[in-house]
């Protein structure tokens, strides 16, 4: 799968991502591959398991930012929900929002592994 096909598959405008990422397809591809090794999702999962709302907010906010920068639209949108839930210390709906993030994360990771 090409980088363009990846972004089409997740519903993101590749030209927009390319513009934000210095116009280099190699640069975009390199950061997509690095995303697979990023520990933010694992840290978020740990925070959710431990019920630490402040940590959940921080990790979700970080994941939201990384997702936005890389143009990972489905993951970004799901992460926005959790950020808003926890922004002021709220906890209702955390598990449901995290389950949605997990689904989007797993899909994005699987697709990134197909990018050549």
């Amino acid at each position: 799968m090409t980088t363009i096909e990846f972004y089409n598959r997740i519903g993101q405008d590749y030209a927009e991502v390319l513009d934000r990422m210095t116009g280099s397809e190699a640069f975009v591809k390199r950061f997509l591959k690095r995303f697979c090794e990023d520990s933010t999702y694992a840290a978020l999962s740990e925070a959710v398991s431990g019920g630490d709302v402040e940590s959940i907010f921080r990790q979700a906010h970080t994941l939201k930012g990384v997702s936005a920068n890389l143009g990972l639209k489905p993951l970004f949108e799901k992460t926005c929900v959790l950020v808003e839930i926890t922004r002021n210390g709220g906890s209702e709906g955390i598990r449901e929002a995290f389950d949605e993030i997990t689904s989007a994360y797993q899909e994005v990771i699987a697709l990134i592994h197909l990018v050549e």
Side-chain angles (χ1 to χ4, degrees):
M1 171 184 305
T2 67
T3 308
I4 295 169
E5 290 169 334
F6 167 79
Y7 280 104
N8 286 338
R9 183 100 174 251
I10 66 169
Q12 179 66 49
D13 179 9
Y14 177 67
E16 180 184 310
V17 174
L18 194 59
D19 187 50
R20 186 173 43 252
M21 302 285 287
T22 72
S24 167
E25 182 172 353
F27 189 75
V28 173
K29 193 182 296 187
R30 183 175 23 166
F31 276 90
L32 279 176
K33 298 295 183 177
R34 283 186 183 171
F35 179 75
C36 295
E37 300 165 7
D38 184 82
S39 64
T40 305
Y41 173 80
L44 175 59
S45 180
E46 187 175 311
V48 169
S49 293
D52 181 352
V53 175
E54 184 179 322
S55 183
I56 293 168
F57 172 76
R58 281 194 320 273
Q59 297 304 327
H61 195 273
T62 299
L63 186 59
K64 178 182 123 179
V66 172
S67 300
N69 287 334
L70 289 173
L72 304 176
K73 187 176 181 179
L75 184 57
F76 169 76
E77 291 172 346
K78 302 296 182 190
T79 307
C80 284
V81 173
L82 186 55
V83 167
E84 290 310 310
I85 289 170
T86 56
R87 180 176 301 282
N88 295 310
S91 61
E92 188 158 332
I94 286 176
R95 174 49 62 186
E96 294 82 3
F98 180 69
D99 289 346
E100 292 288 323
I101 290 168
T102 297
S103 178
Y105 177 82
Q106 290 172 343
E107 180 180 352
V108 164
I109 293 295
L111 290 172
I112 289 171
H113 285 301
L114 298 175
V115 173
E116 299 172 351

